[in-house]
């Protein structure tokens, strides 16, 4: 009987293996390669050195606004189509330029997880090489936004995969909702049920999130000047510097930018600029989202900031800014 049962188990394993192989069952894709913020552009060297390459660099390599030093939106690398082998196909962000004489008009296709996951592949197909620059210029905002979203979604997915659940529940209990915080974030400060400071700190970097509320009066509360004034008021009260009479405030040497964003069934005002410490020599970039709470009686402000004096700030800010987008009401 034992021998019979053993043969049945072996037969079942063989059948299962054969079934998986023959029916094209789900296959695990390799993880993406490359560093955050990198984009590999696949095109011939002549085009890269010419007008087409200039258009791509202008679209994807322009300076990121509201950083204390110059940094490109993306770090670009280029290879020819003949060199586009397996080692490059798993890169996280790919922009592939193809010249196809048989097509009638240019087209752009956005695809996810073609050779790896989580991957974004942007394929620009043109009839003639001379069309590349024009197509890129016409679609540069769409292309850049798609890559930024792919970068953001990777960070959010990681935060959801390895969350600090207790911290998220504590924030949600106070504000009615919360972002996802990945492993390593911790509560640094909490005051009077209307301000929380969550941070991830290393020896030389500080990635922080502030969450606070204030009463909603009317639509003028969302005007840029009023949001900056309210931010300064709350920071002065809750975020002291390292020396006496020092506190966080908004650096007005570069006027902050304000725009409205619709994302994941939420509409919010995004304030982006530079922070500094009054009476001290500290500073860095910040991004704030402002929106009304579920009751409509208060405004929630949720802010990402970075202090990393030894390093470039682009990727550090994107990491913590992405968490703001993961905010969900409970």
């Amino acid at each position: 009987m034992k021998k019979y049962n053993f043969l049945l188990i072996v037969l079942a394993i063989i059948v299962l293996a054969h079934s998986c192989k023959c029916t094209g069952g789900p296959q695990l894709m390799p993880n993406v390669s490359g560093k955050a913020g990198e984009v590999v552009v696949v095109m011939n060297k002549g085009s890269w050195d010419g007008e087409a390459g200039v258009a791509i660099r202008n679209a994807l390599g322009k300076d990121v606004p509201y950083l204390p030093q110059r940094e490109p939106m993306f770090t670009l690398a280029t290879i020819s189509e003949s060199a586009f082998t397996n080692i490059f196909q798993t890169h996280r962000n790919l922009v592939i330029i193809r010249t196809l004489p048989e097509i009638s008009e240019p087209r752009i296709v956005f695809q996810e997880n073609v050779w790896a996951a989580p991957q974004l592949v942007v394929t620009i197909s043109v009839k003639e090489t001379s069309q590349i620059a024009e197509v890129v210029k016409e679609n540069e905002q769409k292309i850049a936004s798609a890559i930024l979203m792919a970068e953001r979604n990777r960070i959010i997915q990681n935060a959801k995969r390895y969350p600090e659940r207790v911290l998220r529940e504590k924030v949600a209990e106070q504000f009615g909702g919360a972002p996802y915080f990945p492993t390593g974030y911790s509560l640094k400060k909490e005051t009077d049920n209307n301000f929380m400071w969550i941070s991830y700190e290393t020896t030389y970097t500080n990635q922080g999130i502030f969450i606070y509320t204030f009463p909603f009066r009317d639509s003028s509360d969302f005007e840029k000047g009023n949001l900056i004034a309210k931010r300064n008021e709350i920071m002065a009260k809750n975020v002291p510097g390292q020396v006496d009479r020092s506190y966080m405030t908004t650096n007005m040497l570069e006027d902050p930018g304000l725009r409205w964003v619709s994302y994941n069934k939420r509409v919010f005002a995004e304030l982006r600029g530079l922070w500094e410490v009054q009476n001290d020599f500290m500073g860095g970039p910040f991004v704030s989202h402002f929106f009304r709470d579920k009751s409509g009686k208060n405004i929630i402000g949720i802010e990402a900031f970075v202090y990393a004096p030894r390093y470039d700030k682009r990727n550090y800010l994107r990491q913590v800014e992405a968490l703001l987008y993961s905010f969900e009401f409970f």
Side-chain angles (χ1 to χ4, degrees):
M1 180 63 72
K2 290 182 179 180
K3 182 177 180 180
Y4 177 73
N5 289 338
F6 175 76
L7 290 174
L8 283 179
I9 293 172
V10 172
L11 180 61
I13 293 173
I14 294 172
V15 170
L16 180 61
H18 179 76
S19 174
C20 293
K21 182 177 180 180
C22 296
T23 59
Q27 303 293 316
L28 292 176
M29 300 193 77
N31 291 329
V32 292
S33 59
K35 297 180 180 179
E38 289 183 343
V39 178
V40 169
V41 182
V42 183
M43 65 188 306
N44 65 59
K45 188 177 186 303
S47 296
W48 177 255
D49 292 338
E51 186 180 1
V54 172
I56 291 175
R57 290 190 290 275
N58 287 341
L60 303 180
K62 65 180 65 175
D63 289 345
V64 178
Y66 306 107
L67 292 182
Q69 70 281 321
R70 296 183 64 179
E71 296 184 55
M73 182 181 299
F74 301 108
T75 303
L76 303 179
T78 180
I79 60 170
S80 65
E81 189 168 0
S82 61
F84 185 50
T85 56
N86 293 345
I87 192 171
F88 295 106
Q89 289 176 351
T90 59
H91 196 277
R92 60 201 296 125
N93 303 309
L94 293 170
V95 176
I96 303 174
I97 312 296
R98 288 179 173 166
T99 302
L100 304 174
E102 66 271 17
I103 67 174
S104 58
E105 59 183 23
R107 60 174 179 260
I108 299 181
V109 177
F110 297 83
Q111 297 172 285
E112 295 181 347
N113 307 339
V114 177
W115 293 286
Q119 182 185 55
L120 176 69
V121 179
V122 183
T123 304
I124 302 174
S125 302
V126 296
K127 184 179 182 66
E128 299 176 354
T129 303
S130 59
Q131 297 175 309
I132 298 173
E134 181 180 356
V135 173
V136 171
K137 290 176 184 177
E138 290 178 351
N139 295 276
E140 65 175 60
Q141 185 61 46
K142 184 186 299 184
I143 297 169
S145 295
I147 299 172
L148 283 173
M149 183 176 294
E151 292 280 271
R152 180 191 309 141
N153 288 342
R154 294 182 190 110
I155 297 168
I156 294 174
Q157 289 172 12
N158 185 67
K160 290 182 175 181
R161 189 177 296 117
Y162 306 106
E164 292 284 1
R165 289 188 175 86
V166 174
L167 177 59
R168 184 167 190 257
E169 291 169 359
K170 184 174 182 63
V171 172
E173 182 178 356
Q174 184 161 314
F175 296 98
Y180 284 85
F181 303 102
T183 300
Y185 278 78
S186 61
L187 180 63
K188 185 179 181 72
K189 185 175 183 178
E190 179 181 9
T191 64
D192 300 333
N193 294 322
N194 65 358
F195 180 89
M196 295 182 76
W197 178 353
I198 293 97
S199 67
Y200 177 78
E201 300 180 17
T202 69
T203 304
Y204 300 114
T205 65
N206 186 338
Q207 294 168 281
I209 291 179
F210 302 131
I211 309 176
Y212 49 87
T213 63
F214 53 93
F216 171 73
R217 300 171 304 176
D218 54 50
S219 59
S220 67
D221 288 335
F222 287 98
E223 294 176 359
K224 183 168 72 172
N226 290 334
L227 289 176
I228 293 173
K230 179 58 68 174
R231 177 186 187 274
N232 289 343
E233 174 189 334
I234 292 174
M235 297 302 114
K237 179 180 178 182
N238 295 288
V239 189
Q242 296 179 347
V243 300
D244 290 343
R245 297 187 299 278
S246 66
Y247 50 87
M248 181 180 282
T249 189
T250 306
N251 184 329
M252 296 303 295
L253 291 178
E254 182 172 4
D255 189 32
L258 180 70
R259 66 169 185 155
W260 282 92
V261 178
S262 178
Y263 178 83
N264 196 24
K265 300 180 181 179
R266 287 192 301 115
V267 177
F268 52 85
E270 178 198 87
L271 184 68
R272 186 181 293 269
L274 298 173
W275 63 270
E276 64 181 2
V277 174
Q278 188 73 25
N279 301 320
D280 202 352
F281 298 97
M282 298 176 66
F286 76 88
V287 182
S288 302
H289 293 178
F290 296 95
F291 49 93
R292 294 169 71 176
D293 66 6
K294 294 180 74 172
S295 72
K297 297 179 180 179
N298 300 293
I299 294 175
I300 294 177
I302 178 168
E303 175 174 320
F305 76 93
V306 166
Y307 179 62
R310 297 191 176 197
Y311 306 106
D312 289 340
K313 317 294 188 293
R314 181 193 71 186
N315 289 346
Y316 285 113
L317 184 62
R318 283 181 183 166
Q319 287 170 4
V320 67
E321 178 187 356
L323 305 184
L324 306 190
Y325 280 87
S326 73
F327 183 97
E328 296 173 346
F329 283 113
F330 278 45

